[in-house]
Amino acid sequence: MNAVRNWFSGLTMRERILVGIAAGFTLLLAAVYLVTLPLLGAISDQRIEYREALERRTAIEARVKTGAGKTTRKRSAMSSNALQSTIDISAGEAGFTLDRAEARQGGQVDVAIANARPTALMQWLVGLQSQGIAVSNVEIKPGANGSVGFTATFGGVR
């Protein structure tokens, strides 16, 4: 430590100022990279985990609400075209843009949505199921910014 003091005292005033500024920048960079950035990353990760937990909770609450109000009455079967128009209208009301909605034989409709929020998608599916529309062959893939891609086959009325 004595050697550093002797070296620093041997510098001119201009050199001392420059060394002091360099030391200040070094401390600032160390604080940013060793403290601030890791803390901001941890906060961001916790926000994502919290949002995912809220989405899971919303989906569970929707399932519980739908399960509590189930009715046992039978509904008549829909044609593929009627089912497709029902799904188109319902998706539009829920704010989704269907990338594909193709009617198939046997009263089934294939549907694809490129980008959807998971909670809104689950609420829409629960709403369709409460109308008695059965959902099968569901595939949900994660997308950018917390959205998901969705494909499924809707088959007739339960």
Side-chain angles (χ1 to χ4, degrees):
M1 187 70 180
N2 209 9
V4 173
R5 267 193 212 138
N6 288 337
W7 169 78
F8 192 75
S9 63
L11 297 175
T12 64
M13 181 57 78
R14 180 177 175 186
E15 290 172 336
R16 288 181 189 166
I17 292 172
L18 289 175
V19 168
I21 291 173
F25 280 139
T26 303
L27 290 175
L28 179 67
L29 282 174
V32 167
Y33 283 106
L34 297 176
V35 177
T36 307
L37 291 179
L39 284 176
L40 292 176
I43 290 170
S44 176
D45 291 345
Q46 289 301 313
R47 284 184 181 162
I48 291 170
E49 287 180 24
Y50 179 70
R51 185 180 67 208
E52 289 171 352
L54 284 178
E55 290 172 356
R56 284 192 303 271
R57 178 182 175 172
T58 304
I60 291 169
E61 287 175 350
R63 280 190 229 136
V64 168
K65 189 184 294 184
T66 302
K70 280 190 176 178
T71 59
T72 57
R73 62 187 168 127
K74 290 271 187 177
R75 298 187 180 195
S76 60
M78 289 181 161
S79 70
S80 296
N81 292 333
L83 181 61
Q84 181 179 0
S85 66
T86 301
I87 291 170
D88 284 341
I89 291 168
S90 175
E93 290 172 351
F96 296 118
T97 303
L98 297 179
D99 292 335
R100 178 179 49 126
E102 299 172 352
R104 294 188 341 193
Q105 291 181 349
Q108 294 184 336
V109 177
D110 287 333
V111 173
I113 299 174
N115 291 319
R117 286 186 343 203
T119 52
L121 179 65
M122 291 302 156
Q123 289 173 351
W124 178 61
L125 290 175
V126 166
L128 288 175
Q129 286 183 333
S130 68
Q131 295 176 21
I133 298 173
V135 183
S136 62
N137 300 331
V138 176
E139 184 177 340
I140 299 175
K141 294 182 179 179
N145 298 328
S147 66
V148 295
F150 169 77
T151 57
T153 300
F154 293 90
V157 178
R158 298 187 282 129

